[in-house]
């Protein structure tokens, strides 16, 4: 009796087992092959051919979300909603026949968040984003994105964190922990080696086992181990000849076997080719789903090429994810997240990731500076973030002109008028109404710069106390940047030169603000202005955040998570990157007819191996414009009392940081390690840990402890397929940047070897 009562409770009206009441295995046992095949693909995407049948039904759950899972009501399986990030939740801001708005907060771009070097702060930002995910009814945020900045020209670097895997992994873990605190999921992406947009669905990334493990997978490994994201998104590209979404080595042996990942893997949108191979590889769900994939899976099981047990395994992982979701739990979302509170979060977090590259003392502005002359089109048309799926539909963007006005500065009206007129004309000229459906994803054409006449300059010099020149860049999904985008244009150079000359001649200061999403050339002009603030793309409150920094309400404490080279070609990867090739993401090959493969389009050789970013610049002894880890503050910090200890396989280095300057500020302390000479080739030094002080008042100190496990000192030995720690004296260096080491200590480490799966 008791048994059959329990059975009844776990079943629906027609006797079907219900998810959450009956065991998952029972639910799977009751599914038809067709239902299973539907569940492992999504519900299709509007406007794409081959929509799966239920598109209309679930698309409206949260309009503008990237996708949903397939609902099976008879088994109590709801559709759950997957929506983009990473700079905030991406959904449609307005809905047909609905007066309400559904704006989300545009937080700073990933690169800025990483530049804070502050995991606690990134976790807070993640927490705020997670609240919007939850309260707008989404279940999984398709973020964070943590591919390596292999080359400055990758169009999506703004979404990513760093040229270094430890920064990438730790910042991603903090973000995931923050979002998932809300009981919603994340999808760390794009796994792995999606380091260029050119021909992103057909490019084969050819990478040595060592570089793969140490550089391109390491960040994902850290994020998986330190935050257990609910899902992982495989990438579009091939990796050493195999689509990542079809690679069992990557998705099963490494991700689950070596790292212990317990969640679900989904494809990037329309990624990969062979649905059965994807199932087999452990790519549990294919998004957004196409009829052809459904048919291939059903046929595969029927003709025995796809083991149904494999399908069941993937179905199980999807059901486990669904059971975690707010929608499954019946959470009543409000459609009313606390956008006011989140505007404060983004405003404050942005100031902490801005990097002060140069300051001769003009910043923060003294109280004598009241009237400012604001140059550069982006001062008035400030860029909140990049384009594509990482764009966020926010209610507003605070420009620098508005931010400065809000902060009580008088912004030169005649310059404002001149720029607004110019921007309107240029926008009209460059962006004629387009019926290209992809246009919404493309970077907006921005007005080039104008250089005021001598007379105009003279009058703004006399009317103002200082000048600010903003240099802006935008980029995004689908397209890589060009070398011309890395360089300043002749007009931009002239603008900086002429404005600085005119203001300097009158004994006044001129500063440059960089409103950029990725690295640009700075070496040729950085000597000219009095200060340079790299403000990045700082989210919807960007102008307010910059004003907070310029005014001294906040001391900038960001540091670069990538190198600013002297010249683009100084990067080792520049030899093997699709530079200035006229290919978009589809990358039709030049000699398609002849079947010839085009270098850097069809395949890219990661010839530089592990020598990415500072690892390369240090090894080759190349001078850089601003090194990895660099960033000034309004105050100064001294590093004292260094100490080191080693026990139970862990090294601890402590250092006491003292604020010796006049402003309150925070310091990002970096720990680099140099290995002893052994049999393996080693970088000069590698970042192994970092930490940020709390805000220290002048004279205040804080002791920082940086911890490194012996295993984290290992290099990947391709011959042995093992992480190998060579024995000897390791040099631990606490630094303010990769080229500003403040304290050095040594400790002896015993050799060890950690075997991994034979894969990859
Ligand atoms: C992007 C992903 C994104 C997905 C869904 C793809 O084009 O590469 O980052 O999550 O679309 O919008």
């Amino acid at each position: 009796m008791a048994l059959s009562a329990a059975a009844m409770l776990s079943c629906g009206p027609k006797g079907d087992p219900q998810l959450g009441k009956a065991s998952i295995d029972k639910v799977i046992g009751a599914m038809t092959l067709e239902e299973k095949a539907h569940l492992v693909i999504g519900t299709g995407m509007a406007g794409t051919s081959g929509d799966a049948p239920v598109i209309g039904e679930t698309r409206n759950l949260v309009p503008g979300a990237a996708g949903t899972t397939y609902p099976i009501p008879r088994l109590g399986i709801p559709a759950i909603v997957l929506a983009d990030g990473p700079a905030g939740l991406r959904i449609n801001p307005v809905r047909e026949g609905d007066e309400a708005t559904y704006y989300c907060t545009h937080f700073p771009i990933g690169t800025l968040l990483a530049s804070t070097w502050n995991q606690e702060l990134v976790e807070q930002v993640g927490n705020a984003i997670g609240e919007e995910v939850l309260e707008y009814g989404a279940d999984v945020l398709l973020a964070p994105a943590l591919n390596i900045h292999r080359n400055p020209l990758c169009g999506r670097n703004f979404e990513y964190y760093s040229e270094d895997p430890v920064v990438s992994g730790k910042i991603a873990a903090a973000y995931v922990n923050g979002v998932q605190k809300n009981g919603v999921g994340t999808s760390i992406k794009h796994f792995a080696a999606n380091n260029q947009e050119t021909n992103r669905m057909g490019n084969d990334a050819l990478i040595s086992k060592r570089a793969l493990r140490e550089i391109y997978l390491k960040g994902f490994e850290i994020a998986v181990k330190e935050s257990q994201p609910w899902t992982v998104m495989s990438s579009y590209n091939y990796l050493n000849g195999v689509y990542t979404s079809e690679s069992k080595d990557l998705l099963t042996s490494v991700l689950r076997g070596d790292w212990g990942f317990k969640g679900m893997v989904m494809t990037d949108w329309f990624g990969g080719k062979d649905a059965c191979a994807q199932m087999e590889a452990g790519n549990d769900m294919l998004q957004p789903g196409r009829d052809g994939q459904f048919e291939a899976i059903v046929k595969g099981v029927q003709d025995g090429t796809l083991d149904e047990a494999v399908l069941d395994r993937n179905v199980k992982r999807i059901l486990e994810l669904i059971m975690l979701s707010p929608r499954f739990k019946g959470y009543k979302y409000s459609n009313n997240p606390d956008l006011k509170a989140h505007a404060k979060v983004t405003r404050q977090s942005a100031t902490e990731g801005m990097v002060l590259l140069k300051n001769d003392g003009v910043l923060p502005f003294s109280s004598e500076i009241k009237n400012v002359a604001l140059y550069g089109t982006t001062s008035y048309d400030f860029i909140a973030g990049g384009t594509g799926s990482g764009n966020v539909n926010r209610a507003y963007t605070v420009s620098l002109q508005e931010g400065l006005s809000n902060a009580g500065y008088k912004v030169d009206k005649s310059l404002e008028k001149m720029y607004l007129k110019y921007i309107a004309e240029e926008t009209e000229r460059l962006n004629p109404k387009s019926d290209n459906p992809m246009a919404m994803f493309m970077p907006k054409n921005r007005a080039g710069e104008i250089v005021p006449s001598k007379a105009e300059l003279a009058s703004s010099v006399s009317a103002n106390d200082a000048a600010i020149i903003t240099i802006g860049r935008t980029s995004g999904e689908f397209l890589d940047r060009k070398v011309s985008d890395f360089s300043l244009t002749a007009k931009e150079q002239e603008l900086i030169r002429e404005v600085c000359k005119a203001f300097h001649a009158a004994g006044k200061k001129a500063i440059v603000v960089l409103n950029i999403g990725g690295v640009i050339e700075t070496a040729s002009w950085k000597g000219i202005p009095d200060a340079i603030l790299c403000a990045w793309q700082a989210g919807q409150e960007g102008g307010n955040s910059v004003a907070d920094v310029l005014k001294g309400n906040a001391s900038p404490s960001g540091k670069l998570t990538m190198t600013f080279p002297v010249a683009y070609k100084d990067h080792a990867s520049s030899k093997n990157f699709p530079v200035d090739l006229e290919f978009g993401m589809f990358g039709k090959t030049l000699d398609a007819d002849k079947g010839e493969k085009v270098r850097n389009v069809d395949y890219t050789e990661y010839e530089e191996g592990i020598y990415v970013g500072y690892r390369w610049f240090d090894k080759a002894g190349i001078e850089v414009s601003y090194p990895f880890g660099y960033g000034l503050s309004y105050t100064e910090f001294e590093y004292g009392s260094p100490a080191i200890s080693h026990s139970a396989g862990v090294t601890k280095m402590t250092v006491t940081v003292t604020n010796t300057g006049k402003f309150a500020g925070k310091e990002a302390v970096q720990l680099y390690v140099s290995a002893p000479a052994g049999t393996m080739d080693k970088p000069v030094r590698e970042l192994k840990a970092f930490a940020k002080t709390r805000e220290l008042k002048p004279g205040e100190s804080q002791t920082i402890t940086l911890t490194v496990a012996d295993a984290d000192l290992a290099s990947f030995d391709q011959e042995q397929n093992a992480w190998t720690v060579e024995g000897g004296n390791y040099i631990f260096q606490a630094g303010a940047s990769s080229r500003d080491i403040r304290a050095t200590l040594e400790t002896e480490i015993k050799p060890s070897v950690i075997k991994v799966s034979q894969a990859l």
Side-chain angles (χ1 to χ4, degrees):
M1 278 294 283
L3 253 182
S4 64
M8 274 171 68
L9 277 177
S10 64
C11 292
K14 293 190 180 151
D16 298 320
Q18 300 294 294
L19 185 66
K21 294 185 181 138
S23 71
I24 291 197
D25 290 336
K26 260 226 157 82
V27 174
I28 298 173
M31 288 171 82
T32 64
L33 172 59
E34 286 72 19
E35 283 171 332
K36 291 176 189 173
H38 273 306
L39 190 71
V40 295
I41 70 169
T43 49
M45 195 180 209
T48 57
S49 59
D51 286 347
V54 291
I55 179 68
E57 217 175 290
T58 62
R59 184 155 52 104
N60 293 330
L61 286 175
V62 180
T68 70
T69 61
Y70 183 90
I72 309 175
R74 77 172 184 95
L75 300 173
I77 303 172
I80 66 167
V81 175
L82 320 168
D84 269 310
L89 174 68
R90 177 179 170 80
I91 58 173
N92 290 348
V94 288
R95 296 175 185 174
E96 240 179 71
D98 184 344
E99 299 273 279
T101 56
Y102 301 82
Y103 287 110
C104 297
T105 307
H106 195 316
F107 291 88
I109 57 168
T111 302
L112 183 151
L113 288 183
S115 307
T116 66
W117 298 72
N118 186 340
Q119 285 170 264
E120 214 178 293
L121 176 138
V122 174
E123 191 169 326
Q124 281 163 19
V125 172
N127 194 15
I129 296 174
E131 204 231 335
E132 296 191 19
V133 175
L134 179 70
E135 292 306 332
Y136 276 135
D139 298 282
V140 177
L141 181 73
L142 304 172
L146 62 145
N147 295 99
I148 290 290
H149 290 186
R150 169 177 178 254
N151 185 281
L153 299 185
C154 172
R156 290 185 89 172
N157 276 354
F158 73 96
E159 293 182 65
Y160 307 150
Y161 295 131
S162 174
E163 67 190 21
D164 180 86
V166 172
V167 175
S168 303
K170 300 236 173 231
I171 296 293
Y175 182 105
V176 169
N177 284 325
V179 173
Q180 293 191 170
K181 259 191 202 161
N182 294 276
V184 296
T186 55
S187 196
I188 61 171
K189 68 188 186 183
H190 310 90
F191 189 58
N194 185 177
N195 303 102
Q196 65 179 61
E197 284 301 282
T198 305
N199 195 21
R200 64 179 184 173
M201 292 169 121
N203 180 261
D204 189 4
L206 302 173
I207 311 180
S208 73
K209 287 183 187 189
R210 179 170 179 190
L212 198 53
R213 292 272 181 172
E214 291 184 24
I215 306 290
Y216 298 101
L217 298 184
K218 193 71 191 175
F220 286 97
E221 179 181 355
I222 294 170
V224 165
K225 290 181 175 166
E226 297 187 7
S227 65
Q228 285 294 339
W230 288 11
T231 80
V232 168
M233 187 191 290
S234 54
S235 58
Y236 283 130
N237 50 289
Y238 293 92
L239 174 57
N240 295 330
V242 184
Y243 268 126
T244 58
S245 63
E246 297 173 9
S247 169
K248 192 171 185 172
D249 290 348
L250 183 69
L251 303 183
T252 297
S253 309
V254 172
L255 178 64
R256 297 178 191 279
D258 291 346
W259 303 346
F261 177 66
K262 299 274 185 298
M264 190 214 72
V265 177
M266 70 178 91
T267 57
D268 196 349
W269 268 230
F270 303 106
K273 274 196 185 134
D274 180 340
C276 290
Q278 289 173 312
M279 288 295 108
E280 185 70 42
N283 196 121
D284 309 298
M285 191 164 71
L286 314 181
Q287 279 290 341
R290 282 178 281 126
D291 287 349
Q293 292 169 325
F294 171 80
E295 283 149 21
I297 291 167
V298 169
K299 187 165 165 287
V301 171
Q302 282 165 348
D303 68 18
T305 47
L306 176 64
D307 186 347
E308 193 161 359
V310 166
L311 188 60
D312 288 352
R313 175 198 69 185
N314 298 358
V315 164
K316 187 170 188 172
R317 291 185 189 138
I318 297 171
L319 293 179
E320 282 166 353
L321 170 73
I322 292 173
M323 286 178 70
L324 290 173
S325 70
R327 189 159 262 94
F328 179 77
K329 293 177 180 161
Y331 181 72
K332 301 264 176 297
Y333 52 95
S334 64
N335 273 328
N336 190 22
D338 195 345
L339 297 179
K340 280 225 166 78
H342 297 171
K344 286 194 190 133
V345 173
T346 182
R347 178 172 176 165
Q348 188 259 325
S349 60
T351 63
E352 204 169 320
M354 291 183 184
V355 185
L356 186 62
L357 296 176
K358 176 181 180 179
N359 188 16
D360 75 349
V362 57
L363 294 179
F365 282 152
S366 75
S367 55
E368 260 125 68
I369 294 184
K370 296 191 173 78
N371 299 297
V372 291
L374 200 48
Y375 296 93
T377 53
T378 38
S379 293
Y380 302 89
D381 188 12
F382 218 52
I383 305 165
T387 58
S389 60
N391 182 24
V392 180
N393 295 311
R394 68 271 186 190
Y396 62 87
T397 302
V398 178
S399 72
L400 182 53
Q401 172 256 323
E402 289 164 328
L404 290 168
S405 305
N406 294 342
Y409 292 101
K410 286 218 168 61
V411 178
D412 188 298
K413 284 284 166 210
S414 56
L415 278 178
E416 182 184 338
K417 218 168 120 199
M418 176 183 96
Y419 273 106
L420 292 181
K421 180 165 169 279
Y422 176 69
I423 291 168
E425 285 166 6
E426 284 292 280
T427 310
E428 183 66 29
R429 189 175 71 82
L430 295 166
N431 298 329
K433 286 220 161 32
S434 166
D435 48 15
N436 175 359
M438 299 304 278
M440 61 181 282
F441 293 118
M442 303 312 233
K444 236 204 309 171
N445 280 322
R446 295 210 163 250
E449 287 307 341
I450 36 173
V451 180
S453 67
K454 287 242 161 12
E456 283 166 333
L457 259 177
S459 80
S460 61
V461 170
S462 64
N464 294 287
D465 306 314
I468 301 172
I469 307 150
T470 304
I471 300 294
R473 288 286 181 280
T474 185
S475 74
E477 200 177 342
F478 309 120
L479 284 177
D480 289 315
R481 296 169 58 207
K482 308 223 178 229
V483 176
S484 56
D485 194 71
F486 172 84
S487 314
L488 262 56
T489 63
K491 283 268 181 233
E492 287 169 332
Q493 292 268 10
E494 195 186 341
L495 181 69
I496 294 176
R497 254 193 341 262
E498 293 305 315
V499 171
C500 291
K501 197 160 96 193
F503 276 78
H504 288 166
K508 296 178 181 178
K509 304 280 188 180
I511 70 160
V512 170
V513 170
L514 301 179
N515 181 202
I516 56 180
V519 177
I520 62 165
E521 187 275 320
T522 49
S524 70
W525 56 269
K526 67 180 182 182
I528 305 173
D530 304 292
I532 306 171
L533 178 70
C534 177
W536 298 121
Q537 293 164 348
Q540 68 183 42
E541 289 280 331
N544 283 333
S545 307
V546 175
D548 286 339
V549 169
L550 299 183
K551 202 170 178 181
N553 295 341
S555 174
S557 59
K559 293 193 178 184
L560 298 177
T561 58
M562 79 300 288
T563 310
F564 273 47
V566 171
Y568 166 72
K569 63 167 182 27
D570 291 348
H571 262 279
S573 64
S574 65
K575 280 200 234 145
N576 294 281
F577 192 81
V579 178
D580 291 358
L581 296 173
E582 290 304 326
F583 294 98
M585 65 164 183
F586 297 115
K588 287 218 168 46
T589 55
L590 276 175
D591 281 318
D593 293 345
K594 288 191 235 150
E596 273 178 35
K597 296 228 179 244
V598 179
R599 194 180 178 86
N600 299 330
V601 176
D602 295 307
Y603 65 95
T604 303
E605 286 183 65
Y606 287 41
E607 237 179 327
E608 70 282 359
I610 60 169
Y611 291 104
V612 176
Y614 67 91
R615 287 171 169 79
W616 165 247
F617 292 105
D618 287 350
K619 181 182 170 71
I622 296 175
E623 196 197 323
V624 300
S625 189
Y626 295 110
F628 175 82
Y630 172 87
L632 301 172
S633 162
Y634 290 158
T635 190
E636 313 252 305
F637 297 99
E638 232 173 61
Y639 290 47
S641 327
I644 199 161
S645 67
H646 183 271
S647 75
V650 173
T651 304
K652 284 195 171 143
M653 182 162 178
T654 56
V655 61
T656 300
V657 178
T658 304
N659 181 346
T660 56
K662 296 199 180 74
F663 290 87
K666 298 182 183 181
E667 170 74 342
V669 181
Q670 301 150 44
L671 180 63
Y672 296 89
V673 179
S674 305
T679 54
M680 292 182 85
D681 179 31
K682 294 276 188 172
V684 177
R685 64 176 64 84
E686 293 183 283
L687 183 84
K688 292 295 176 189
F690 61 88
K692 196 148 190 187
T693 67
R694 62 172 189 272
E695 184 169 270
L696 299 175
K697 300 206 174 64
E700 240 189 309
S701 300
Q702 184 182 353
T703 299
I704 294 290
T705 305
L706 299 147
T707 306
V708 185
D710 287 358
D712 294 334
L713 299 171
S715 297
F716 194 77
D717 183 336
Q718 313 197 144
E719 264 57 76
Q720 296 194 48
N721 211 45
W723 288 100
T724 304
V725 182
E726 293 188 315
N729 274 350
Y730 282 70
I731 306 170
F732 284 67
Q733 303 141 72
S737 88
S738 62
R739 292 196 174 178
D740 183 6
I741 301 301
R742 303 288 185 88
T744 300
L745 289 168
E746 281 188 27
T747 191
E748 198 197 332
I749 306 286
K750 298 256 163 339
S752 61
V753 172
I754 309 140
K755 284 267 177 201
V756 296
S757 64
Q758 289 301 308
L760 290 176

